[in-house]
Amino acid sequence: MVRPERRTVRDLRRGNRAVLLRALYFAGPTSRHELTALTGLSAATVSNVTGDLLADDIIVEAGLVDSDGGRPRVLLRVNPTYGFAIGVDVGETHVRVELFDLDMNELAKSEFALRPGAHDVDVVVRHVLSGIDAVVADSGVPPSKVLGVGVGVPGIVERGPEAMIHAQTFGWHSVPLGSLLRAGTPFPLHIDNGAKTMGQAEMWFGAGRGSRHAVIALIGSGVGASIIADGVTYRGANSSAGEWGHTKIAIGGRGCRCGGRGCLEAYIGAEAVLERAGIDVDTSTEQAAFAELVTSGSPVIDETVEYLGAGLANLINLFNPERIVVGGWAGLLLGQHLLTTIKQRAAENCLTQPYSTASIVLGRLGPDAVALGAATLVVDEFLLSTTSSSVSREPAVS
Amino acid sequence: MVRPERRTVRDLRRGNRAVLLRALYFAGPTSRHELTALTGLSAATVSNVTGDLLADDIIVEAGLVDSDGGRPRVLLRVNPTYGFAIGVDVGETHVRVELFDLDMNELAKSEFALRPGAHDVDVVVRHVLSGIDAVVADSGVPPSKVLGVGVGVPGIVERGPEAMIHAQTFGWHSVPLGSLLRAGTPFPLHIDNGAKTMGQAEMWFGAGRGSRHAVIALIGSGVGASIIADGVTYRGANSSAGEWGHTKIAIGGRGCRCGGRGCLEAYIGAEAVLERAGIDVDTSTEQAAFAELVTSGSPVIDETVEYLGAGLANLINLFNPERIVVGGWAGLLLGQHLLTTIKQRAAENCLTQPYSTASIVLGRLGPDAVALGAATLVVDEFLLSTTSSSVSREPAVS
DNA sequence: AATACATAGTCTATATCTTGAAAAAAGTCA
DNA sequence: TGACTTTTTTCAAGATATAGACTATGTATT
């Protein structure tokens, strides 16, 4: 119940420093003058704080801009090579590790295939760790400049020092992935559910930009969602919020791979859709088969769209977002061909007032943005807490 | 995307003052010494800030307590008569206005019956305004000490200066209730959905105490929910978040009074349950009939519990709360007799991990806490922003 | 009764912080 | 060159929280 918390006068500085850095990061090259408007700080403070940040090499000057008839403005920007972030995507078919600078340019990449069904924890951990070593070596980035590693994994991630994972599809039950990775790498770790990391990528660089209340719906073989409440990913009490795929849309309905009945995923997840259409596939042919099915005019797709519309409507009724982003490879395929129908079905199943203020759009980053999103976790932390003096970091997993 | 915002050194004071006052309000009589632990502030600051608050008469001393072998502690508490809050419950059958001191003791009450179906805006506004006048007069509280009026209404409340209301069951479409009330009363207004105000009452004084992530499920004739995310009511982009009753639990299912099909409310709302059981009632006999039905062993009740369990499971999957509070008159009746079955059905329809960390409990405040909750909106604002000097308030509806 | 001890609360000196105003810097224009 | 414009920095003033010394107010012991 007790909400706000600030104490000393030093926290003020830290806070304002973070506000300013964040504004600079998302607004791109900006003059000090504009920053006063963006942050609400006085010109004196902006000058003071930017001075600090320049001295720390966290931001750099980025050219001049004329100001009609006066001193030209000096543009400032975040120094893209001040630090680097590593993003890891642990998927059903692969482990992908990418290294980015602060502008999110990909500087190196390392990928390992996973054999279907072979999601041994040891194997995954080994791939992740060697991937980290590989991208650091390939990019030539000195390890001291690596700000951290973000990891997107399937299933439920309990945040905490151990980062316990529960992932049914991987057969992972209470796997302390944080501890396991920590033993093999010195970099700060940020472990989160893959749907949430991808959601953050869409929020920062994709279809979610500019909205404060949004839901990113991810439809692939499975179904998940990332809920953005007031600009930040909503996690709930134990970080498992957003398990949209296993909400019930039919009592006693179709069986789901989670063991339950009537889950939304059992109707709109690509695996379930293909099964319902009587198409037999394996992981390698799944996407092609689904793409063909979508354009085939099959009644199964009509039904799928009906359920998808209802599922989206439920999200709108419960969360009242300003935007719904439909993503995931299957979601993108459905959306590319049937977006208007999907919207129609959503409207039919939703209260008019919240529906009218929500826009349903397609994701813009493609299905492979999990690693990018994972890296944004690192950047997010960096923007929030750049304590200039102390370089030491507490070795916590967050 | 830009989240934190703090500026001047004065905001610090305001913030710390609010933190301290809040701690004092919820912890009850507390010594300065304990407050240092509760707030994290230094003893010096606690002394300093409490000095201010004492001088402003916002807090008062409340006796001594021995401290073994040393100077006794002086207990402090919020001055219950520093100000007063008015809460209004606009329901389907009545308009109820109550006046509370800061300890939430009810000092005066005024009630008006509404004829079924007669929810004319003018009538409601007149009742609310004369109710406000009545409770102020009855209690003898000087108008200058009334901190504000909280109003809980059905339907969707768009927050903003006009406080536009959309309430299907009342036949209200885009009614600017804020403007209408403002014209007739000088007190600051806080208008919100009744389910949300009641949820806040349960969080402050009822079954929700102590949890930061909770959902208050309200089941009466209709069905609603209040979502508490990180200690505060979640509202979404336009304050309509939490419309649980009209989420779809069956595609193409039973018709609902909202016009849609397959809404949860069409299965577990008391009106719908009675209809499904073939029992014909009006507003006056509804509750008694429902109470009888619940204990009758009717298969309709079994089915209702099944749907309720699934509905709760969906809330747990999506929001990952630590607690679910079942309230509303019908919810309480169901829960009193069938809580274990409800929990079982919820477990069957929910992912195990989030279910295992959520407790499902009954509401403790009874169905009439809407006005109390509405008054807490006023107190919440009071605790957050007690600017000592300036007594003037901006006349905004929030 | 006097003294020692323990705990609670206040006071003071200090280091920070943001801000407004004034000053400086860096241009354009005539 | 000098007047003017706009951006940025500098500086003094006002406000804040903290640590640590100090005061207040009890009980226990001699």
Side-chain angles (χ1 to χ4, degrees):
Chain A
M1 230 94 61
V2 177
R3 198 179 352 160
E5 223 177 318
R6 276 287 161 115
R7 268 171 303 181
T8 164
V9 79
R10 242 161 180 160
D11 295 325
L12 254 190
R13 178 61 151 221
R14 257 198 291 281
N16 283 338
R17 193 176 155 116
V19 167
L20 207 148
L21 193 55
R22 235 185 159 68
L24 213 42
Y25 187 80
F26 289 109
T30 312
S31 73
R32 292 176 178 79
H33 196 67
E34 288 173 89
L35 282 172
T36 63
L38 283 174
T39 61
L41 296 167
S42 70
T45 301
V46 168
S47 181
N48 192 338
V49 175
T50 53
D52 272 15
L53 290 170
L54 279 166
D56 291 344
D57 203 35
I58 293 172
I59 65 176
V60 291
E61 299 195 345
L64 298 179
V65 136
D66 279 8
S67 69
D68 53 4
R71 176 174 174 174
R73 308 174 181 184
V74 177
L75 296 180
L76 301 171
R77 55 172 305 185
V78 174
N79 177 1
T81 62
Y82 175 81
F84 300 84
I86 295 174
V88 179
D89 170 8
V90 176
E92 309 213 356
T93 61
H94 59 263
V95 171
R96 191 182 296 143
V97 182
E98 303 177 32
L99 187 146
F100 303 88
D101 64 18
L102 286 177
D103 276 351
M104 289 301 159
N105 296 309
E106 185 187 301
L107 302 186
K109 180 174 179 173
S110 175
E111 191 162 353
F112 306 87
L114 292 178
R115 282 189 309 280
H119 302 117
D120 222 20
V121 178
D122 297 345
V123 175
V124 169
V125 167
R126 205 165 53 238
H127 284 334
V128 171
L129 292 176
S130 58
I132 292 172
D133 290 344
V135 293
V136 172
D138 285 5
S139 64
V141 166
S144 64
K145 296 192 91 176
V146 174
L147 299 170
V149 178
V151 185
V153 297
I156 291 171
V157 181
E158 279 183 49
R159 289 161 84 80
E162 296 213 305
M164 205 66 87
I165 315 276
H166 311 270
Q168 199 118 24
T169 50
F170 271 36
W172 287 14
H173 302 288
S174 301
V175 172
L177 187 62
S179 309
L180 295 174
L181 289 176
R182 170 154 317 293
T185 178
F187 303 129
L189 287 171
H190 302 259
I191 303 178
D192 206 346
N193 169 276
K196 291 193 177 72
T197 70
M198 185 152 170
Q200 186 151 315
E202 284 284 354
M203 289 304 293
W204 281 31
F205 308 113
R209 280 203 86 148
S211 58
R212 291 192 69 75
H213 295 273
V215 179
I216 321 294
L218 285 165
I219 306 155
S221 296
V223 171
S226 171
I227 294 146
I228 312 294
D230 215 26
V232 301
T233 303
Y234 179 70
R235 299 199 148 80
N238 294 286
S239 315
S240 84
E243 283 292 344
W244 182 49
H246 301 288
T247 56
K248 305 304 167 193
I249 195 76
I251 299 296
R254 276 176 58 85
C256 175
R257 52 184 186 172
C258 79
R261 308 197 69 82
C263 298
L264 184 63
E265 183 170 308
Y267 293 92
I268 70 170
E271 195 177 303
V273 172
L274 288 167
E275 198 180 303
R276 268 167 48 228
I279 299 172
D280 202 20
V281 293
D282 61 16
T283 357
S284 60
T285 56
E286 192 179 17
Q287 301 203 12
F290 188 83
E292 199 188 317
L293 180 63
V294 168
T295 52
S296 70
S298 156
V300 170
I301 292 298
D302 293 344
E303 200 184 65
T304 302
V305 169
E306 172 83 42
Y307 277 90
L308 174 55
L312 294 176
N314 285 354
L315 291 175
I316 295 173
N317 278 334
L318 282 173
F319 292 103
N320 179 215
E322 41 193 316
R323 201 172 301 170
I324 295 247
V325 178
V326 177
W329 64 265
L332 289 172
L333 281 170
L334 283 167
Q336 273 150 17
H337 296 92
L338 300 163
L339 190 57
T340 47
T341 317
I342 293 171
K343 285 185 183 176
Q344 206 173 317
R345 295 287 169 273
E348 289 161 10
N349 287 291
C350 193
L351 293 173
T352 50
Q353 212 275 337
Y355 180 80
S356 68
T357 57
S359 60
I360 300 178
V361 301
L362 284 187
R364 284 215 294 259
L365 297 182
D368 292 336
V370 172
L372 172 65
T376 66
L377 296 177
V378 177
V379 177
D380 200 28
E381 168 70 17
F382 166 71
L383 293 177
L384 205 58
S385 63
T386 324
T387 43
S388 63
S389 48
S390 70
V391 188
S392 71
R393 295 167 159 284
E394 68 277 19
V397 177
S398 62
Chain B
M1 228 94 62
V2 177
R3 197 180 352 159
E5 222 178 318
R6 275 287 160 117
R7 266 169 305 179
T8 164
V9 77
R10 245 162 179 159
D11 295 326
L12 250 191
R13 179 62 149 215
R14 258 198 291 279
N16 283 337
R17 193 176 155 116
V19 167
L20 207 148
L21 193 55
R22 233 181 163 70
L24 213 41
Y25 187 81
F26 288 108
T30 312
S31 72
R32 292 176 178 79
H33 197 69
E34 288 173 271
L35 282 173
T36 63
L38 283 174
T39 62
L41 296 168
S42 70
T45 301
V46 169
S47 183
N48 193 338
V49 174
T50 51
D52 272 15
L53 291 169
L54 279 166
D56 291 344
D57 203 35
I58 293 172
I59 66 176
V60 292
E61 299 195 344
L64 298 178
V65 135
D66 279 7
S67 68
D68 56 1
R71 175 175 173 175
R73 309 174 183 185
V74 177
L75 296 181
L76 301 171
R77 57 171 305 187
V78 174
N79 177 359
T81 62
Y82 175 81
F84 300 84
I86 294 174
V88 180
D89 170 8
V90 176
E92 307 215 354
T93 60
H94 59 262
V95 171
R96 191 181 298 143
V97 182
E98 303 177 32
L99 186 145
F100 303 88
D101 65 17
L102 286 177
D103 275 352
M104 290 300 159
N105 297 309
E106 185 187 301
L107 303 185
K109 180 174 179 174
S110 176
E111 190 162 354
F112 305 88
L114 291 178
R115 283 190 307 281
H119 302 118
D120 223 19
V121 178
D122 297 345
V123 174
V124 169
V125 167
R126 205 164 55 239
H127 284 334
V128 172
L129 292 176
S130 58
I132 292 172
D133 290 344
V135 293
V136 172
D138 285 4
S139 63
V141 166
S144 63
K145 295 191 91 175
V146 174
L147 298 170
V149 178
V151 186
V153 297
I156 291 170
V157 180
E158 280 183 47
R159 290 163 84 79
E162 297 212 302
M164 205 66 89
I165 316 276
H166 311 269
Q168 199 118 24
T169 50
F170 270 36
W172 288 12
H173 303 287
S174 301
V175 171
L177 187 63
S179 309
L180 296 174
L181 290 176
R182 170 153 317 293
T185 178
F187 303 130
L189 288 170
H190 302 260
I191 302 178
D192 206 346
N193 169 276
K196 291 194 177 70
T197 71
M198 184 151 170
Q200 186 152 316
E202 284 284 355
M203 289 304 293
W204 281 31
F205 308 113
R209 280 202 88 148
S211 58
R212 293 192 67 74
H213 294 274
V215 178
I216 322 294
L218 286 165
I219 306 157
S221 296
V223 171
S226 172
I227 295 146
I228 311 294
D230 215 27
V232 300
T233 303
Y234 179 70
R235 299 197 148 80
N238 294 287
S239 315
S240 82
E243 283 292 345
W244 183 47
H246 301 289
T247 56
K248 305 305 168 194
I249 195 76
I251 299 296
R254 276 177 56 85
C256 175
R257 52 183 187 171
C258 79
R261 309 197 69 82
C263 297
L264 185 64
E265 183 170 308
Y267 292 91
I268 70 170
E271 194 178 304
V273 172
L274 289 167
E275 198 180 304
R276 268 168 45 228
I279 300 172
D280 202 18
V281 293
D282 61 17
T283 358
S284 61
T285 55
E286 194 179 16
Q287 301 203 12
F290 189 82
E292 198 189 317
L293 180 61
V294 167
T295 52
S296 69
S298 156
V300 170
I301 292 297
D302 293 343
E303 199 183 66
T304 302
V305 169
E306 171 86 41
Y307 276 91
L308 173 56
L312 295 177
N314 285 354
L315 290 175
I316 295 173
N317 278 334
L318 282 173
F319 293 102
N320 180 215
E322 39 192 317
R323 200 171 303 170
I324 295 248
V325 178
V326 176
W329 64 265
L332 290 172
L333 282 171
L334 283 168
Q336 273 149 17
H337 296 92
L338 301 163
L339 189 57
T340 47
T341 318
I342 293 171
K343 285 184 182 176
Q344 206 174 318
R345 294 287 169 274
E348 288 162 10
N349 286 291
C350 192
L351 293 173
T352 51
Q353 212 276 335
Y355 181 80
S356 67
T357 57
S359 60
I360 299 178
V361 300
L362 285 187
R364 283 214 293 260
L365 297 183
D368 291 337
V370 173
L372 172 65
T376 65
L377 297 178
V378 177
V379 178
D380 199 29
E381 168 70 18
F382 166 71
L383 293 177
L384 205 56
S385 62
T386 325
T387 43
S388 62
S389 48
S390 71
V391 187
S392 71
R393 296 167 158 283
E394 68 276 19
V397 177
S398 62

